[in-house]
């Protein structure tokens, strides 16, 4: 993901930081969207991530929403654990949560989320949303992906590895590599199984033993198991690794900055950022309207101008500029060659894999 948005996985928050940084966003971009009867005066509090991601959301979603509905948007940084604590203490200060799939699913499983009011949507047609991310209590906001990135100076056009079986082939494709550490959110067990020849539509439930046996084979060629997006990008930028499995936003930032890096989308791992409404939210009705607004094709298409994450609304691509389309994980041109990570499996097995990883990574 992008350089300033590792907060997808964690962000410290306090009452003081909220009072200092939560801001009411103004108007602008009026008239860009379909007419709507303005809602009652009020606000909606959205869990913020900071950095480039929040800047993009402000321009494409927050400000247009306020302009269209009159509802002010306030942004409050918080981790998934802090949201859970709010719900358990019945002191909910956030209306809308914006979290990666596994984190939000964990909240859903403890009953911390309200149902998404699909039947009341006015801006968005629910059937236009990718079916795999349309869940009862959470709905996909955008796709991001872990992709195979390579150094174009080390691998001339047409000579780079395609897919994880070739990434694992250090004889045919020599060079230092980097892959994610479990600390980044999840170890790359799926890539390890794809390297063994498991079909992408037959990955789950993951065979943990087979995955670690496959990781044994690539381990000597991994110069760094990265734990943050910044580290993954640094490895490729400094040419300490010529191949890596990294977030597409991080790779794209390097490319846009002129680095000799390219992306191969074969067997990219799609993950989803989700919207949810917190149970006990003070502004529940406004929260539902906000999500409805944010999911419409025009808004999702506009967001891609500011950050390289893919729409979940299948109609949004009609509103994506040609120059942005090739950067997006859910681009229809290569989406079928990728796979979606199972948040259900990882929610069930995160502790088990984490314990196994800790002993494995320290072994020779």
């Amino acid at each position: 993901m992008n350089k300033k948005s590792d907060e997808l996985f964690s962000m410290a928050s306090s009452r003081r930081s909220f009072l200092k940084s939560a801001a009411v966003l103004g108007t602008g971009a009026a008239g860009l969207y379909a007419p709507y009867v303005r809602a009652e005066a009020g606000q909606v509090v959205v869990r913020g991530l900071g950095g480039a991601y929040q800047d993009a959301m402000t321009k494409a979603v927050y400000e247009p929403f306020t302009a269209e509905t009159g509802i002010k948007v306030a942004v409050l940084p918080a981790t998934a654990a802090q949201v859970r604590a709010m719900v358990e203490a019945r002191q909910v200060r956030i209306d809308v949560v914006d979290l990666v799939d596994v984190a939000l699913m964990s909240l859903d499983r403890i009953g911390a989320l309200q149902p998404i009011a699909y039947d009341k949507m006015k801006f968005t047609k629910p059937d236009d949303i990718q079916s795999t991310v349309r869940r009862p209590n959470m709905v996909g906001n955008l796709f991001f992906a872990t992709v195979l990135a390579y150094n174009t100076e080390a691998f001339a056009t047409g000579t780079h590895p395609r897919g994880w079986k070739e990434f694992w082939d250090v004889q045919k494709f020599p060079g230092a590599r980097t892959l994610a550490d479990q600390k980044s959110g999840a170890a790359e067990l799926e890539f390890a199984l794809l390297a063994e020849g498991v079909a992408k539509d037959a990955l789950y439930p993951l065979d943990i033993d087979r995955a670690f046996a496959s990781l044994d084979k690539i381990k000597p060629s991994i110069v760094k198991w990265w734990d943050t997006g910044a580290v993954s990008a640094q490895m490729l930028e400094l040419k300490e690794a010529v191949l890596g499995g990294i977030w597409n936003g991080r790779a794209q930032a390097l490319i846009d900055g002129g680095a000799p890096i390219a992306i191969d989308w074969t067997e990219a791992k799609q993950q989803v950022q989700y919207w949810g409404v917190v149970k006990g939210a003070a502004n529940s009705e406004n929260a539902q309207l906000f999500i409805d607004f944010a999911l419409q094709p025009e808004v999702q298409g506009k967001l891609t101008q500011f950050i390289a994450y893919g729409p979940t609304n299948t109609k949004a691509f009609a509103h994506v500029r040609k120059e942005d389309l090739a950067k997006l994980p859910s681009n229809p041109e290569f989406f079928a060659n990728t796979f979606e990570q199972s948040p259900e499996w990882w929610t069930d097995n995160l502790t088990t894999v984490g314990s196994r990883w800790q002993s494995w990574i320290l072994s020779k």
Side-chain angles (χ1 to χ4, degrees):
M1 305 180 76
N2 285 72
K3 189 171 183 179
K4 296 182 180 179
S5 59
D6 290 320
E7 296 91 338
L8 284 170
F9 299 99
S10 64
M11 176 178 285
S13 172
S14 65
R15 177 65 177 166
R16 180 176 295 177
S17 67
F18 168 60
L19 293 172
K20 182 177 180 180
S21 65
V24 173
L25 303 179
T27 60
L32 287 177
Y33 305 98
Y36 180 78
V37 178
R38 295 174 75 83
E40 268 183 70
Q43 71 168 356
V44 61
V45 182
V46 180
R47 183 255 178 179
L49 281 70
Y53 181 88
Q54 188 164 308
D55 291 343
M57 294 296 292
T58 297
K59 295 171 185 175
V61 184
Y62 302 163
E63 290 179 344
F65 174 73
T66 297
E68 184 67 29
T69 67
I71 299 169
K72 299 172 184 177
V73 179
V75 180
L76 174 62
T79 64
Q82 288 167 334
V83 174
R84 176 172 182 164
M86 290 179 192
V87 173
E88 292 174 342
R90 297 184 181 180
Q91 296 181 353
V92 177
R93 293 186 288 136
I94 289 177
D95 304 310
V96 177
V97 279
D98 182 2
L99 282 165
V100 71
D101 45 20
V102 175
L104 196 54
M105 184 162 287
S106 296
L107 287 176
D108 187 28
R109 288 189 176 185
I110 64 164
L113 303 179
Q114 299 180 26
I116 300 294
Y118 293 108
D119 59 333
K120 295 181 180 179
M121 286 186 170
K122 298 177 174 66
F123 291 107
T124 300
K125 294 179 180 179
D127 287 345
D128 291 340
I129 301 168
Q130 183 84 19
S131 61
T132 55
V133 303
R134 198 171 64 236
R135 300 170 182 270
N137 299 338
M138 47 194 278
V139 59
N141 168 24
L142 55 84
F143 284 98
F144 66 96
T146 303
V147 297
L148 195 163
Y150 62 94
N151 186 295
T152 57
E153 294 175 348
F155 301 99
T157 303
T159 67
H160 67 276
R162 291 173 173 80
W164 302 102
K165 188 172 184 178
E166 293 192 347
F167 183 96
W168 252 245
D169 189 343
V170 298
Q171 301 300 319
K172 185 176 179 181
F173 303 98
R177 288 147 161 80
T178 185
L179 284 173
D181 190 291
Q182 178 68 17
K183 295 176 184 177
S184 70
E188 303 297 10
L189 303 192
E190 291 91 342
F191 295 164
L193 291 172
L194 289 166
E196 288 292 297
V198 177
K200 57 186 174 59
D201 58 354
L203 284 169
Y204 301 100
L206 300 181
D207 184 332
I208 296 175
D209 290 338
R210 187 177 181 186
F212 274 94
S214 178
L215 287 168
D216 284 338
K217 299 174 184 177
I218 198 66
K219 192 175 186 180
S221 296
I222 302 297
V223 294
K224 178 69 175 179
W225 300 93
W226 57 265
D227 56 357
T228 69
V231 171
S232 71
Q234 184 181 54
M235 296 297 295
L236 289 172
E237 187 174 25
L238 299 179
K239 300 181 182 179
E240 294 178 16
V242 296
L243 289 170
I246 75 170
W247 293 324
N248 76 286
R250 289 289 185 173
Q252 191 61 53
L254 292 176
I255 295 167
D256 292 344
I261 303 297
I263 293 172
D264 185 272
W265 289 93
T266 306
E267 297 175 337
K269 179 178 69 178
Q270 302 275 1
Q271 288 181 258
V272 185
Q273 190 80 358
Y274 278 87
W275 294 119
V277 179
V278 183
K279 185 169 288 187
N283 304 292
S284 178
E285 187 173 339
N286 288 348
Q288 296 283 358
L289 185 62
F290 172 86
I291 291 173
D292 177 11
F293 180 90
L295 290 171
Q296 65 182 300
E298 296 88 346
V299 173
Q300 286 209 332
K302 185 73 172 179
L303 182 64
T304 64
Q305 296 182 21
F306 305 109
I307 202 157
Y309 298 145
T312 57
N313 190 314
T314 59
K315 304 297 184 184
F317 292 98
H319 305 277
V320 174
R321 300 181 305 186
K322 185 178 180 180
E323 61 267 33
D324 297 322
L325 184 60
K327 305 175 182 180
L328 305 180
S330 53
N331 181 344
E333 182 179 340
F334 46 70
F335 189 76
N337 293 323
T338 68
F339 69 94
E340 290 182 46
Q341 183 188 66
S342 170
E344 291 90 350
W345 190 91
W346 276 102
T347 302
D348 290 339
N349 294 278
L350 196 60
T351 300
T352 299
V353 175
S355 297
R356 177 81 173 262
W357 179 267
Q358 282 303 108
S359 58
W360 179 84
I361 200 70
L362 295 174
S363 65
K364 292 184 179 180

